[in-house]
Amino acid sequence: MMDISDEEILAILAKPYVRCLLPDPDGGYTVTVHEFSGCVAEGDSAEEALRNFDAAAAAWIAAAVESGYPIVEPIEPSLYSGRIALRIPGGLHEDIAHLAQLDECSVNQLLGVAISEYVGRRHGPPIAPPPKKKGLNSKPHADMDVATK
């Protein structure tokens, strides 16, 4: 087991971790940090929630260090351009292209929505509905099974 000093905890908390402050529909606020898995704090006001988070995060860091759990460095958001290269099987690419045609959108738009829906199921609501091209009849999005090739 390893101990960590208050100064070391404060040094970790001083790093540029992004605190996610979310209002609760029933009142109050919740705070999380993506890199501190399972560390959550609440408060009646935004200020109280953030203060409570700092106390909870200090305890979380101490427990993580004591149990040998790594403290992840802050994610650097400036490194994400929104552009990725993805290799997939040709048959899957074909299926995706057909679905995009049915949804009257591009392959990039369809994949962006599919990824945001997957991430949303894990971390919150989807970011955006599927985009539609202008001038075409809007069809409701239909779920369908796609046979693999």
Side-chain angles (χ1 to χ4, degrees), residues 94-105 110 142 144-146:
E94 180 182 7
D95 291 342
I96 292 167
H98 289 160
L99 286 172
Q101 282 182 320
L102 290 172
D103 282 355
E104 298 174 343
C105 66
L110 183 119
M144 60 174 45
D145 293 325
V146 179

Side-chain angles (χ1 to χ4, degrees), residues 17-24 28-34 36 38-57:
Y17 289 103
V18 175
R19 286 151 174 83
C20 181
L21 176 69
L22 296 172
D24 188 310
Y29 292 84
T30 301
V31 180
T32 60
V33 166
H34 178 75
F36 298 171
C39 184
V40 178
E42 297 176 330
D44 291 332
S45 68
E47 295 80 15
E48 180 184 12
L50 288 165
R51 275 193 312 273
N52 291 345
F53 183 81
D54 285 342

Side-chain angles (χ1 to χ4, degrees), residues 5 12 14 25 28 33 43 65 67 84 88-89 102 110 129 135 145:
S5 71
I12 292 170
V33 166
V65 168
S67 65
I84 60 172
I88 58 175
L102 290 172
L110 183 119
D145 293 325

Side-chain angles (χ1 to χ4, degrees), residues 55-70:
W60 185 94
I61 291 166
V65 168
E66 186 175 314
S67 65
Y69 190 81

Side-chain angles (χ1 to χ4, degrees), residues 64-119:
V65 168
E66 186 175 314
S67 65
Y69 190 81
I71 306 297
V72 179
E73 290 297 315
I75 295 172
E76 295 185 35
S78 62
L79 299 177
Y80 306 107
S81 67
R83 184 179 181 100
I84 60 172
L86 176 67
R87 296 218 179 262
I88 58 175
L92 178 59
H93 190 173
E94 180 182 7
D95 291 342
I96 292 167
H98 289 160
L99 286 172
Q101 282 182 320
L102 290 172
D103 282 355
E104 298 174 343
C105 66
S106 71
V107 168
N108 279 344
Q109 290 169 322
L110 183 119
L111 289 174
V113 169
I115 291 167
S116 71
E117 286 177 358
Y118 174 79
V119 170

